Amino acid sequence: MKKKNDNATDAASLRQKAEEHLKKQQSKTASVSSEADMLKLIHELEVHQIELEMQNEELVIAKEKAEIAEEKYTELYDFAPSGYLSLTKEGKITELNFAAAKMLGKERSRLQNSLFGFFISAETKPAYNRFLEKVFSSKTKETCEVTLTVSGHPPMHVILSGICYENGQHCKLTATDITDRKQAEKALRVSEEELREAQRLAQIGSWNYHWQNGKVNLSDEIYNIIGLDRNKQALQIESHKKYYTPESWQKFITAVETARTTGKPYEIDLEIVRQNGVNRLAVARGEPITNKKGDVIELLEHCRTSPNARTLKMN
């Protein structure tokens, strides 16, 4: 009976030892698992920290690039040769660059909220008002030509180009100075008028012929030499023949063809048949004009009444 009890005691003791051993195994396994998870978590945190640092560096670089781009844009805007302005519907200046301020003859800060129309000449003010109205109503780019009048400065001719913002409350305006061009155009008109007057007094006419397109341009004095009224009858190259005697026409055609093929100028005497029935002797000098390849593409001829000319009655 005692032996049986001893066996039961040994089994219980073995069971307890096994359970304690199992607990130790589980504790050791849990410890190992927890340590691995901890290392993994630390690794992920470190990687995440590096990612955040890299993202932060990218943001800093992007910010620096944006600031540089903004500075470049500001420099381009402020120091552009053309004037840039922002106007309200009423024509008040809300923004402008240095070129626009220079055009208006004042410091930029003093021009804020000024009416741009104040600087427009009285003669071109109506065109400016129509232009501003169209800019805000059409929502498309509009242009007009005005004259700026600033105290102490000569008038400035400018071309305005404007387009409305999306909100419809402001418009962007570009002002381009064309004063030099206008003055050159005026000087050219004066020069052409003086040339026409000089040709009239000297009885020298001129015409030019383009071989490529067949166009011919004749001065007023050519009409006077032939005896035509430019306003009543246009002189065409096809009908040019009848204003020369047959001999003079052949001489003229030969000289022109030789100039076209050789590129050499010519000077010939011609007898012109005038509409009033009285012929006139003239001297014609032709100057071939060549392109870069040396091909003759145009002929310029000056024709004047010969100083030794005599009036001839037609038979």
Side-chain angles (χ1 to χ4, degrees):
M1 187 70 180
K2 184 177 179 181
K3 186 175 181 181
K4 185 177 180 179
N5 291 336
D6 289 341
N7 289 336
T9 301
D10 290 340
S13 176
L14 183 62
R15 173 73 180 224
Q16 182 179 359
K17 288 181 180 179
E19 288 180 351
E20 290 177 353
H21 183 72
L22 179 60
K23 287 180 179 179
K24 289 180 179 179
Q25 289 277 351
Q26 290 176 341
S27 176
K28 185 176 180 181
T29 302
S31 176
V32 171
S33 176
S34 177
E35 183 178 353
D37 290 342
M38 183 63 69
L39 289 174
K40 183 178 180 181
L41 179 61
I42 291 172
H43 174 74
E44 290 179 352
L45 289 173
E46 288 176 345
V47 171
H48 185 62
Q49 177 67 26
I50 293 173
E51 288 179 345
L52 289 175
E53 290 176 355
M54 291 175 66
Q55 290 177 355
N56 186 56
E57 289 178 359
E58 290 177 355
L59 288 173
V60 170
I61 293 173
K63 183 180 178 182
E64 290 176 350
K65 288 182 177 180
E67 290 175 349
I68 292 172
E70 184 179 0
E71 289 177 0
K72 289 183 178 179
Y73 172 79
T74 301
E75 289 180 0
L76 288 172
Y77 175 82
D78 282 339
F79 299 104
S82 296
Y84 294 130
L85 308 96
S86 294
L87 302 184
T88 64
K89 282 186 174 182
E90 295 75 26
K92 287 186 177 181
I93 302 171
T94 57
E95 294 179 8
L96 73 165
N97 67 349
F98 289 123
K102 185 178 180 180
M103 287 180 176
L104 302 181
K106 291 185 179 181
E107 293 182 6
R108 185 160 64 165
S109 59
R110 296 180 59 190
L111 290 165
Q112 298 286 341
N113 295 319
S114 297
L115 286 171
F116 184 67
F118 175 79
F119 301 94
I120 306 294
S121 69
E123 294 79 10
T124 58
K125 181 72 71 65
Y128 165 74
N129 291 335
R130 290 192 298 270
F131 159 78
L132 193 63
E133 183 179 353
K134 285 183 179 179
V135 168
F136 283 99
S137 61
S138 67
K139 309 296 183 181
T140 58
K141 183 179 179 181
E142 300 289 341
T143 60
C144 81
E145 186 176 319
V146 299
T147 303
L148 300 180
T149 55
V150 178
S151 178
H153 297 271
M156 179 184 295
H157 302 280
V158 300
I159 287 182
L160 300 179
S161 299
I163 189 167
C164 186
Y165 285 13
E166 291 183 1
N167 61 17
Q169 300 302 313
H170 295 80
C171 73
K172 286 286 189 183
L173 207 68
T174 303
T176 305
D177 184 2
I178 59 168
T179 303
D180 290 343
R181 193 189 80 187
K182 296 291 288 186
Q183 291 177 344
E185 290 174 353
K186 182 179 179 181
L188 179 60
R189 287 195 300 270
V190 171
S191 177
E192 289 175 345
E193 291 174 1
E194 291 176 345
L195 176 60
R196 284 194 293 270
E197 180 63 14
Q199 287 184 341
R200 187 187 67 82
L201 294 174
Q203 294 187 327
I204 298 175
S206 61
W207 63 274
N208 64 311
Y209 177 75
H210 298 263
W211 264 288
Q212 292 180 338
N213 55 29
K215 289 184 178 181
V216 59
N217 299 307
L218 302 101
S219 70
D220 292 340
E221 191 56 29
I222 285 289
Y223 282 85
N224 293 333
I225 291 174
I226 297 175
L228 296 176
D229 186 341
R230 184 170 198 153
N231 297 321
K232 295 180 180 180
Q233 185 176 0
L235 184 60
Q236 303 296 331
I237 192 66
E238 295 82 3
S239 60
H240 209 58
K241 181 177 180 179
K242 67 180 182 180
Y243 299 109
Y244 295 91
T245 61
E247 296 80 7
S248 291
W249 176 252
Q250 188 59 49
K251 187 189 296 185
F252 169 75
I253 289 299
T254 301
V256 169
E257 183 61 25
T258 302
R260 187 182 70 84
T261 55
T262 65
K264 295 180 179 180
Y266 62 82
E267 184 171 317
I268 55 177
D269 296 326
L270 299 172
E271 186 174 344
I272 296 174
V273 178
R274 292 167 58 81
Q275 277 216 319
N276 60 4
V278 179
N279 289 10
R280 177 178 290 181
L281 297 180
V283 177
R285 177 174 178 79
E287 293 284 348
I289 299 174
T290 60
N291 58 17
K292 293 181 179 179
K293 296 180 180 179
D295 301 324
V296 177
I297 59 174
E298 186 179 350
L299 176 68
L300 174 62
E301 183 185 278
H302 295 284
C303 181
R304 64 179 176 84
T305 301
S306 173
N308 299 320
R310 55 189 176 85
T311 301
L312 302 175
K313 284 286 184 181
M314 293 182 66
N315 297 327

